[in-house]
Amino acid sequence: MSNRRPPLPPFTFETAVQKVRAAEDAWNSRDPARVALAYSPDSTWRNRSSFIKGRAQIEAFLVAKWEQEHDYRLIKELWAFTQERLAVRFAYEWRNNAGHWFRSYGNENWAFDANGLMHTRHASINDVPIKEAQRLFFWNRTAPRPVDHPSLSDLGL
């Protein structure tokens, strides 16, 4: 497996958008091992109130996350970028073990190494209960979001 994850810094607007979409597609796969490979071996995270270090902890965190968050579907959107940093906003919908639906809104700050691996991720996330009829994200459960599916901005989120 290559240690490079294009697109690589320094980012342009186009490559920053590509990087965000690649992350969205990976997370929508709900494959913890696949997702973890986008991060440097010593990557550090703050996810809500959890502090995580390294791919093994990232993978374990994601396994536990997706055991609790069923029918997970995520949309990410670029907010801002510099040469090696991206700011992203996102929303995802999911159902808990009791069958209650939520839409989680958040912001992430990402920093990348020269190989395009994320070495730092800070995520702030809020969960909002929704009714099933309020859901907006519909596509095959573990597939990428279709190209013609509305973005967060298009959905007014």
Side-chain angles (χ1 to χ4, degrees):
M1 170 79 36
S2 170
N3 289 329
R4 295 172 58 87
R5 290 294 267 218
L8 308 175
F11 296 115
T12 63
F13 175 76
E14 291 76 19
T15 61
V17 168
Q18 289 172 4
K19 194 69 157 181
V20 172
R21 186 58 190 245
E24 175 188 310
D25 290 349
W27 279 68
N28 276 323
S29 77
R30 294 186 16 209
D31 179 343
R34 174 183 171 193
V35 173
L37 289 175
Y39 300 91
S40 66
D42 61 347
S43 185
T44 58
W45 283 22
R46 183 193 50 75
N47 192 89
R48 300 177 191 245
S49 60
S50 297
F51 294 84
I52 302 158
K53 184 159 179 73
R55 284 183 179 156
Q57 286 184 16
I58 290 169
E59 193 169 336
F61 172 85
L62 293 172
V63 166
K65 171 185 178 64
W66 288 320
E67 286 175 352
Q68 303 299 314
E69 296 179 357
H70 307 286
D71 297 314
Y72 177 95
R73 289 173 181 84
L74 164 74
I75 299 176
K76 291 183 180 281
E77 192 169 279
L78 179 67
W79 186 254
F81 72 98
T82 63
Q83 292 188 339
E84 74 286 337
R85 295 177 186 263
L86 303 179
V88 176
R89 68 188 200 96
F90 63 88
Y92 61 91
E93 295 178 348
W94 57 283
R95 177 182 51 79
N96 69 11
N97 289 329
H100 301 287
W101 283 94
F102 296 86
R103 185 174 303 122
S104 299
Y105 297 92
N107 298 291
E108 295 174 306
N109 297 312
W110 300 344
F112 294 87
D113 65 20
N115 289 320
L117 296 171
M118 192 183 305
H119 63 76
T120 306
R121 175 183 176 265
H122 297 283
S124 297
I125 307 165
N126 299 299
D127 302 321
V128 177
I130 61 172
K131 293 181 168 61
E132 186 171 5
Q134 294 174 297
R135 292 179 56 218
L136 299 172
F137 303 173
F138 296 99
W139 61 84
N140 185 327
R141 186 170 75 85
T142 57
R145 176 173 50 103
V147 218
D148 60 347
H149 190 284
S151 68
L152 292 178
S153 292
D154 293 336
L155 291 167
L157 299 176

